[in-house]
Amino acid sequence: MERSGGAQEMSVSQPQSGRGVPCLRCRGTCTGFEPHSWRKICKSCKCSQEDHCLSSDAEDDRKIGRLLADSKYATLTARVKGGDGVRIYKRNRMIITNPIVSRKDPTFDTITYEWAPPGLTQKLAMQYMELIPKEMQPVAGTDGAHYRRRQLLRQLPVHDHDPSQCRGLDEGELKLMEDFVKKYKAEALGVGEVALPGHTGNAKEEGKAAEKPPETTNGALESTRAVGLYRCETCKQAVPEDCPVVYADRAGYARLWHPACFVCCRCAEPLVDLIYFWKSGAAWCGRHYCESLRPRCAGCDEIIFSEEYQRAEGMAWHKKHFTCLECETPLCSKAFSLDQGSLRCAACSRSQRL
């Protein structure tokens, strides 16, 4: 097994174009991505940017590097040479090479995982992958790799942590966002670690047990093998001693999860690359953590830091973005329809029904 962080492949000056990239949702019906001036959607098919998978590995690594920088997880990033202090994500790839036995010359079957938990032996890393649904395993060139990339865009939108990616922030809003990001990096942001039950952090190298679960009512710890000393925080099922689990240091090492159970408490989607935000005794994805603290504009998808904004049917918009999806007519104090989050003026709503 070979491993690679991929840092040497990073270029800090790659602009995101994406124009013409096909839509994974519309398939053949979309003519290709046509960027909107301020919405995070395709003008052609109205699908989101993540449905077009616009980013590259290098761009994703740069975005996640920006998120983890200036946090206690900065060790998972590397400084780019000549990049003016820019840090990128040291994404751990895993390359498995298996010989194919045949009568002819020996050949090899190579499988590349676009991401794998760092610091594990080949056996433990493969055990972890086998506990993830096959369609979500990030094998290069498969639907699982596309799924991971879409989840990076969906769960960890760059405009939630990088003010330079937001449009039209005034000086006061910029300061609020910078404080918001600094606070959640210090208090909520986390990256899960994979280990066997009872062995986490330095204990993986030193062979020391981690925090043990609470004692039972009679004051005696139950037998690990007989009754199940370790239980998954989500499904509450017992975890075998030889089964890799996920720990979240923000939660304390008495809690652990099956790999497939380490999900966002709001959307129930697996937490991409084990990146989580801890709040109210639960793990959240970045998108829903931010939305639990501040409103998100349904028009531009950015967090709202202004005091005044528009609300309708439990959703929020920047006032300047409360416009018709089709014709861009401002809709404040005007009749509108709202269908599955899509805001339309009366005229365009009638046209849609014809």
Side-chain angles (χ1 to χ4, degrees):
M1 179 181 70
E2 301 173 22
R3 295 177 184 272
S4 171
Q8 68 279 7
E9 301 172 5
M10 179 61 204
S11 169
V12 298
S13 60
Q14 293 181 352
Q16 179 175 306
S17 171
R19 191 181 297 272
V21 173
C23 181
L24 298 177
R25 177 175 292 182
C26 297
R27 301 296 179 179
T29 61
C30 176
T31 57
F33 185 74
E34 183 66 26
H36 190 278
S37 61
W38 55 267
R39 298 182 193 270
K40 311 296 190 296
I41 64 170
C42 170
K43 286 174 65 176
S44 175
C45 67
K46 302 295 192 294
C47 289
S48 65
Q49 290 182 353
E50 56 259 33
D51 287 325
H52 289 263
C53 274
L54 301 181
S55 62
S56 66
D57 285 340
E59 289 167 338
D60 289 340
D61 291 346
R62 187 173 188 269
K63 293 171 187 175
I64 301 307
R66 176 68 183 254
L67 171 64
L68 299 179
D70 303 317
S71 77
K72 66 177 182 176
Y73 302 97
T75 54
L76 297 175
T77 69
R79 191 180 301 275
V80 179
K81 186 175 181 180
D84 295 328
V86 172
R87 303 192 71 88
I88 64 165
Y89 180 33
K90 293 191 297 185
R91 176 171 49 93
N92 185 60
R93 293 188 304 160
M94 181 169 67
I95 303 173
I96 307 294
T97 303
N98 297 314
I100 300 175
V101 179
S102 67
R103 294 181 180 179
K104 299 181 180 180
D105 294 335
T107 57
F108 297 90
D109 177 35
T110 299
I111 301 174
T112 300
Y113 290 87
E114 295 291 352
W115 172 87
L120 304 182
T121 64
Q122 175 178 338
K123 179 181 178 181
L124 197 57
M126 287 307 300
Q127 275 185 278
Y128 171 88
M129 287 298 176
E130 289 166 0
L131 293 170
I132 300 296
K134 188 172 181 61
E135 65 274 15
M136 296 180 183
Q137 295 176 11
V139 176
T142 68
D143 287 344
H146 286 302
Y147 173 80
R148 173 185 171 270
R149 179 161 291 166
R150 292 176 70 178
Q151 292 301 89
L152 283 172
L153 292 168
R154 178 69 182 169
Q155 294 188 7
L156 304 169
V158 65
H159 45 271
D160 278 8
H161 63 264
D162 186 350
S164 71
Q165 299 298 312
C166 298
R167 297 179 181 273
L169 291 175
D170 65 28
E171 187 175 342
E173 292 167 351
L174 176 61
K175 180 63 166 61
L176 285 172
M177 182 174 183
E178 289 174 342
D179 290 345
F180 179 74
V181 173
K182 183 177 181 180
K183 183 176 175 65
Y184 75 55
K185 284 189 178 187
E187 299 179 1
L189 174 64
V191 181
E193 55 185 289
V194 176
L196 292 176
H199 294 82
T200 64
N202 292 332
K204 284 188 289 187
E205 285 75 37
E206 298 172 6
K208 299 177 182 178
E211 289 181 49
K212 292 185 178 297
E215 294 185 346
T216 56
T217 52
N218 63 5
L221 286 171
E222 298 173 345
S223 167
T224 301
R225 293 192 180 278
V227 184
L229 181 59
Y230 301 99
R231 292 188 178 274
C232 173
E233 188 71 15
T234 297
C235 70
K236 309 305 180 185
Q237 297 299 307
V239 178
E241 277 188 320
D242 59 354
C243 173
V245 295
V246 179
Y247 284 96
D249 63 339
R250 299 268 187 197
Y253 288 106
R255 299 182 179 186
L256 52 77
W257 289 260
H258 289 116
C261 291
F262 194 56
V263 300
C264 171
C265 67
R266 175 67 63 83
C267 63
E269 288 289 329
L271 292 160
V272 64
D273 290 15
L274 304 181
I275 298 172
Y276 69 93
F277 293 74
W278 191 254
K279 175 176 175 279
S280 302
W284 302 63
C285 69
R287 171 173 291 274
H288 291 120
Y289 171 82
C290 290
E291 289 177 9
S292 74
L293 299 175
R294 307 280 309 197
R296 183 183 297 279
C297 178
C300 71
D301 198 48
E302 295 173 13
I303 298 299
I304 298 173
F305 290 96
S306 58
E307 293 297 326
E308 295 185 358
Y309 56 92
Q310 189 74 30
R311 277 197 172 276
E313 299 185 23
M315 302 176 71
W317 289 260
H318 291 107
K319 285 200 167 185
K320 62 185 177 182
H321 293 158
F322 194 67
T323 63
C324 176
L325 178 65
E326 306 296 335
C327 68
E328 305 289 355
T329 298
L331 295 175
C332 288
S333 303
K334 294 184 180 179
F336 64 87
S337 68
L338 189 58
D339 180 28
Q340 296 182 344
S342 296
L343 187 66
R344 292 183 174 87
C345 66
C348 290
S349 180
R350 286 194 296 271
S351 298
Q352 285 285 316
R353 293 195 295 267
L354 297 179

